[in-house]
Structures are given as structure tokens and as C-alpha cells.
Amino acid sequence: MIDIVHSKSGSSVSIHPFGATIISYKSSGGENLFVSRLSKLDGSKAIRGGIPIVFPIFGPPPKDSGSTMPQHGFARNNMWKVKEGSQHDSDSHAGVTLTLDLADASKGRGGNNIWSESEAKTGATSCQLIFEVKVDNEALSTTMIVQNTGSDAFDFNCLLHTYYAVEGKAAQDPKQCYAKGLQGYSIIDKVRGVSGEICGEDPVDLTAGAVDSVYMAPEGKMAVNVEVGVGGGRTVKMEAFGTIDDKPVPASCVVWNPSAEGAAGMGDFGDDQYQEMICVEPGILGDQPALGPGKKASLTQLIFA
Ligand code: TA6
């Protein structure tokens, strides 16, 4: 485990090198992230909680693509390395940087896709992932950088799959737990199988049971700004933004809670723990330009807690 403490503020963050998965972010209000009590932490499968890194696909591979890459890609299924000399603790903030080279990604690449070991051998498709983590008295800042180190451009999605801890098993209480700030976004509702509805002014809550929706930004909106109700009368603010080749691209946002039924169907999720969490997940999920050779993309999430 990589434990980072900002001595000046006492805020801290713990990162499991498997998937560079942040599994704890503590600020003055205590622990902000949810990790299932049944989560595997031995590298046998992606960690169920914290902030898993999703890349190069969000969700399952495209239908009839033939790709066998696991859902959400390989970034969260491999051991990342700490960038030498990057761990620091200063008056302004503390932090660390982790990296994953495609050549070192031995799991989760599947077959029949540009990332699979057989096809990527030529070096046409290659990348280095860089994850910069900083914590200070105000926020946890996480920036995922995708560096195209191959000779071919590639399309990708990336997302920070953040699980917020909800105090007092209040996740299904709309006064205590919600995501506010997605009005105007176009909704892909995977539970109802409906796309294109526009989110209204009311906060997104978890009263209707399972929620699994992607909120796509309206024209011209680049950054996501969401207030997350996390129970105990507390809220956390999240801001996220993305770039491709240093130009801003719209950030989308996913809201997910499996409900009792979904929790019962996951072996690494406590049956009652759907009451203890809400996922609010910023990502670059649109049909943005492919990332050209030598170019980089970035996704930054700031959690003010
Ligand atoms: O982000 C929401 C989602 O895509 C849901 O559809 C659900 O599958 C969740 O991710 C968890 O996925 P995982 O592969 O971690 O079980």
C-alpha cells in the first residue's frame, strides 16, 4: 500500500498499486471513499471500491467487435509502479505519481482488439498511463494521463470510477444522498434502457432502486461540477475536466448504485452495502477525436471534502 499524508493538514490518501486504486481518502470529515468489505485486495480481481481507473474502454467491449477485453479495460487489473522520487509531502500538498506501461500490462487486455498482446506486439498501438495523486487541506486531486507511445492513433474512453462512502446507510434517502449539478446533461439510462432524456433541475437520487446512468455534457460544457450528498448532513464537491492534445474535451459523468438486487449478485459486494455508497464517476466517454501518435490526453478529478 502507498500511504500519503499531508502533514500540514492531516489529510491522507492510500493507494493500492494494483490498478493504482485509491482505497482511502481521509480529510477532516473522516473517510470519504467506500470499499466493499468483500473486496479482493490480492490482485485476483479489480478492487470493489475506492477510485478504480477505467481505461481504454468504459463498460463491455463494443457489441460484435469480437473483443474479449474485460469490462472497463485493463488499467485497474494490473500492478502500477511508483515513479521514482515522486512521493512528497510539502506545506502546500503531499502526493505521488504512478505509471503503467502497456508492455507491463499482463492482464485484462483480452483478444481481438488493438490492445491485445498479439496485436500490440508490433508497437503500432502502445501507451503509457500516468496517475498523479495530490492531497492538501482542501481536496484530493487525481489526474490520469494517457500518453500515446505507439505509431497509430487510438480511440479510448477513460473514467475515474469513484465510490463515495454514504454515512448512516442513507444512500436511498434523497435528502441525504444525491448528485446535484447534472441538469441539462443527456441521460443514457442503462437500467431503463432509455437514452436522450435531458436531466432536470432535481438532483439525481437513488430512490428508484438500481441507478446506472451516463450523463453526457450539453453543447459547450466541458467541466463536470457535482455536489454529492454523502449522508450525515455532509456534502462533497467534485469537479472534473479532460483534455486531448492539450485541448479541452467535454467530461461526462456516471451515477451508479446497484440496489439490493445488484449487490446480492456481486460476490465482492456486501448484500446490504448498496445502502452505504454512491458512485459518481467522471470520464471522457464521448466520441472525441482519437489520440494521435505522441499525443497525450488527461482526465482530472478534484474531490473537495
Ligand atoms: O459505472 C457503472 C458501471 O458501468 C455499472 O454498469 C456496473 O457494471 C459498475 O460499473 C461496476 O462494474 P464492475 O466491472 O466494476 O463490476
Side-chain angles (χ1 to χ4, degrees), residues 48 58 71-72 76 161 163 190 212 254 256 266 281:
R48 176 67 63 198
F58 171 70
Q71 163 153 296
H72 294 341
R76 64 177 185 166
H161 199 295
Y163 288 71
K190 295 193 203 171
D212 189 1
V254 176
W256 176 62
M266 290 185 279
E281 316 157 18

Side-chain angles (χ1 to χ4, degrees), residues 72-95:
H72 294 341
F74 59 78
R76 64 177 185 166
N77 286 305
N78 285 279
M79 290 297 282
W80 291 52
K81 291 175 183 160
V82 173
K83 183 178 175 187
E84 201 167 329
S86 67
Q87 192 160 341
H88 62 280
D89 176 15
S90 65
D91 274 0
S92 60
H93 66 276

Side-chain angles (χ1 to χ4, degrees), residues 121-205:
K121 261 201 184 53
T122 61
T125 300
S126 193
C127 71
Q128 181 184 55
L129 304 182
I130 300 161
F131 193 46
E132 297 172 347
V133 180
K134 288 180 187 168
V135 64
D136 64 16
N137 62 324
E138 285 185 329
L140 168 66
S141 166
T142 49
T143 295
M144 153 85 163
I145 295 167
V146 181
Q147 183 71 49
N148 185 341
T149 55
S151 55
D152 285 5
F154 55 72
D155 291 317
F156 71 95
N157 285 161
C158 69
L159 170 133
L160 296 171
H161 199 295
T162 309
Y163 288 71
Y164 292 94
V166 177
E167 198 179 320
K169 290 185 176 285
Q172 282 66 37
D173 176 347
K175 293 191 181 61
Q176 291 267 25
C177 180
Y178 49 81
K180 189 174 178 183
L182 294 170
Q183 58 275 14
Y185 281 66
S186 173
I187 306 167
I188 302 169
D189 183 330
K190 295 193 203 171
V191 172
R192 292 167 51 221
V194 172
S195 294
E197 291 176 345
I198 302 300
C199 185
E201 295 295 323
D202 291 343
V204 176
D205 63 41

Side-chain angles (χ1 to χ4, degrees), residues 3-289:
D3 295 312
I4 303 290
V5 180
H6 179 224
S7 306
K8 192 149 188 227
S9 66
S11 291
S12 66
V13 60
S14 292
I15 309 157
H16 197 305
F18 185 67
T21 310
I22 291 175
I23 60 167
S24 171
Y25 163 41
K26 289 181 180 153
S27 55
S28 55
E31 178 58 70
N32 294 290
L33 301 179
F34 166 89
V35 175
S36 164
R37 63 173 176 263
L38 302 179
S39 176
K40 300 288 187 196
L41 297 173
D42 60 1
S44 60
K45 72 168 294 195
I47 291 171
R48 176 67 63 198
I51 309 180
I53 296 174
V54 171
F55 176 87
I57 57 172
F58 171 70
K63 275 201 176 57
D64 59 47
S65 68
S67 171
T68 59
M69 182 179 283
Q71 163 153 296
H72 294 341
F74 59 78
R76 64 177 185 166
N77 286 305
N78 285 279
M79 290 297 282
W80 291 52
K81 291 175 183 160
V82 173
K83 183 178 175 187
E84 201 167 329
S86 67
Q87 192 160 341
H88 62 280
D89 176 15
S90 65
D91 274 0
S92 60
H93 66 276
V96 70
T97 297
L98 292 97
T99 63
L100 175 66
D101 291 314
L102 179 66
D104 297 330
S106 58
K107 291 162 70 179
R109 293 166 60 174
N112 302 323
N113 68 75
I114 58 170
W115 302 97
S116 56
E117 300 203 51
S118 53
E119 298 195 26
K121 261 201 184 53
T122 61
T125 300
S126 193
C127 71
Q128 181 184 55
L129 304 182
I130 300 161
F131 193 46
E132 297 172 347
V133 180
K134 288 180 187 168
V135 64
D136 64 16
N137 62 324
E138 285 185 329
L140 168 66
S141 166
T142 49
T143 295
M144 153 85 163
I145 295 167
V146 181
Q147 183 71 49
N148 185 341
T149 55
S151 55
D152 285 5
F154 55 72
D155 291 317
F156 71 95
N157 285 161
C158 69
L159 170 133
L160 296 171
H161 199 295
T162 309
Y163 288 71
Y164 292 94
V166 177
E167 198 179 320
K169 290 185 176 285
Q172 282 66 37
D173 176 347
K175 293 191 181 61
Q176 291 267 25
C177 180
Y178 49 81
K180 189 174 178 183
L182 294 170
Q183 58 275 14
Y185 281 66
S186 173
I187 306 167
I188 302 169
D189 183 330
K190 295 193 203 171
V191 172
R192 292 167 51 221
V194 172
S195 294
E197 291 176 345
I198 302 300
C199 185
E201 295 295 323
D202 291 343
V204 176
D205 63 41
L206 306 176
T207 48
V211 172
D212 189 1
S213 295
V214 182
Y215 292 80
M216 302 299 286
E219 190 62 36
K221 182 135 173 61
M222 294 294 159
V224 169
N225 286 282
V226 172
E227 179 183 6
V228 186
V230 291
R234 283 183 66 233
T235 63
V236 168
K237 287 206 171 34
M238 182 274 279
E239 179 183 343
F241 45 90
T243 64
I244 290 184
D245 195 11
D246 295 324
K247 298 176 193 66
V249 290
S252 304
C253 189
V254 176
V255 178
W256 176 62
N257 180 286
S259 78
E261 191 183 348
M266 290 185 279
D268 61 353
F269 201 113
D271 287 356
D272 61 331
Q273 292 196 288
Y274 68 97
Q275 299 168 308
E276 303 170 11
M277 52 69 69
I278 181 171
C279 275
V280 182
E281 316 157 18
I284 300 177
L285 303 180
D287 50 4
Q288 63 276 339

